[in-house]
Amino acid sequence: MLQKTKGISLKVTNYSENSVVAQIFTEDLGLQSYLINGARKPKAKIHINILQPLHLLELVVYHKDNNTLQRIKEAQQYPTLHQIPLDIVKSSLAIFLNEVLYKVLKHQQPDPQLFQFIQQSILWLDETESPLANFHLSFLMKLSKFLGFLPTVNQDQKPFFDLMDGVFTDSLPPHQHVLQEPHTTIFHNILTASYEASHHFHMKHVDRIYLLQKIIDFYRLHTENFGEVNSLYILEEIFH
């Protein structure tokens, strides 16, 4: 059955000499694997270049419910990303976001609200002129809402954040998965800020690295088989 849908490219794997399998998170069909014949040929109808991580796509696909590999009839970039592919900071952030998204969307069913959030975040990153040192922290916390483990924010500020239970608390939990001051306040600010406001929180490089590692731990605790994030070191180099 032919179906139109929007998509976000996440991962491409070589399938044969000129063909690839593309993992694409689609708005209407969830995460799908598409076999694209001849994608590595210079004059390919659907060229591998449009399947780079986080590229936004408009697709016409053949969809069969029981197939593990689907096929694409037509694909084009829309909207086209202008800065992410060329800007070293934005492309590094895209590599990191892409790695995390691939981990958490592995079995993702259709979720148009989640799709639209990711698409809008990619477009904001592509178009913004704001400083980006805290963008990835903000993105991860906003994403947690759609994954079902967004922390509850208290009106009164508490000194600890329990990563296992996902709550701010007055008492130190009996385990190591915890944020303490001054990181609790920074985390609280990131949690409640818009992308536009996130760069107003000034923190030392060492604090940003620590907070990112703790947020990754938070994801690991609440996502099955999350594993390691290999692109972390790139961000540590970029935002030093």
Side-chain angles (χ1 to χ4, degrees):
M1 187 176 82
L2 271 180
Q3 190 162 341
K4 276 188 174 181
T5 186
K6 294 177 181 176
I8 299 168
S9 181
L10 293 179
K11 188 175 183 181
V12 174
T13 308
N14 292 340
Y15 186 78
S16 63
E17 187 178 350
N18 290 308
S19 301
V20 299
V21 172
Q23 304 270 335
I24 299 175
F25 179 47
T26 70
E27 183 171 28
D28 301 314
L29 302 165
L31 184 69
Q32 296 289 334
S33 298
Y34 293 101
L35 175 59
I36 306 171
N37 290 326
R40 293 152 64 84
K41 291 182 177 178
K43 295 183 179 179
K45 183 183 175 187
I46 300 171
H47 198 276
I48 193 169
N49 282 356
I50 74 165
L51 303 171
Q52 290 178 45
L54 300 192
H55 277 203
L56 306 173
L57 305 168
E58 284 199 342
L59 306 166
V60 179
V61 301
Y62 300 99
H63 185 76
K64 293 182 180 177
D65 282 342
N66 297 322
N67 282 15
T68 53
L69 269 185
Q70 308 285 356
R71 289 187 178 267
I72 299 176
K73 184 174 188 285
E74 299 170 19
Q76 62 177 353
Q77 268 185 268
Y78 186 82
T80 301
L81 301 180
H82 297 289
Q83 294 187 34
I84 288 176
L86 303 174
D87 182 294
I88 184 65
V89 172
K90 292 185 177 186
S91 61
S92 299
L93 282 165
I95 290 167
F96 170 75
L97 300 191
N98 180 74
E99 186 179 357
V100 171
L101 284 170
Y102 185 68
K103 288 173 178 294
V104 298
L105 299 178
K106 274 179 185 169
H107 308 292
Q108 186 62 46
Q109 299 302 306
D111 187 337
Q113 287 184 311
L114 170 58
F115 181 91
Q116 285 157 23
F117 160 72
I118 298 170
Q119 177 182 255
Q120 287 162 3
S121 298
I122 293 166
L123 289 172
W124 189 89
L125 174 61
D126 191 57
E127 294 165 4
T128 189
E129 300 300 325
S130 299
L132 291 166
N134 300 330
F135 169 77
H136 51 300
L137 305 177
S138 184
F139 174 85
L140 289 175
M141 296 324 301
K142 292 183 191 318
L143 177 62
S144 72
K145 172 187 174 182
F146 297 92
L147 303 176
F149 51 89
L150 177 72
T152 303
V153 178
N154 308 92
Q155 292 302 317
D156 55 323
Q157 182 63 52
K158 297 177 185 288
F160 304 105
F161 179 72
D162 184 327
L163 296 165
M164 290 187 79
D165 290 342
V167 294
F168 291 91
T169 175
D170 285 318
S171 54
L172 189 64
H175 54 74
Q176 64 184 18
H177 303 294
V178 62
L179 282 174
Q180 303 183 49
E181 294 294 9
H183 300 105
T184 317
T185 296
I186 301 171
F187 179 69
H188 186 276
N189 290 339
I190 289 291
L191 199 54
T192 53
S194 65
Y195 287 147
E196 289 80 6
S198 65
H199 74 272
H200 293 302
F201 306 125
H202 297 292
M203 61 181 107
K204 296 175 184 173
H205 178 55
V206 65
D207 289 329
R208 185 178 292 109
I209 290 174
Y210 178 80
L211 199 56
L212 178 55
Q213 288 171 340
K214 284 293 186 181
I215 292 173
I216 293 296
D217 286 345
F218 182 55
Y219 264 69
R220 201 174 282 121
L221 288 166
H222 297 276
T223 308
E224 195 175 343
N225 299 323
F226 188 79
E228 297 300 316
V229 179
N230 297 318
S231 54
L232 270 180
Y233 77 94
I234 299 174
L235 298 188
E236 292 176 6
E237 290 296 316
I238 291 284
F239 298 119
H240 58 269

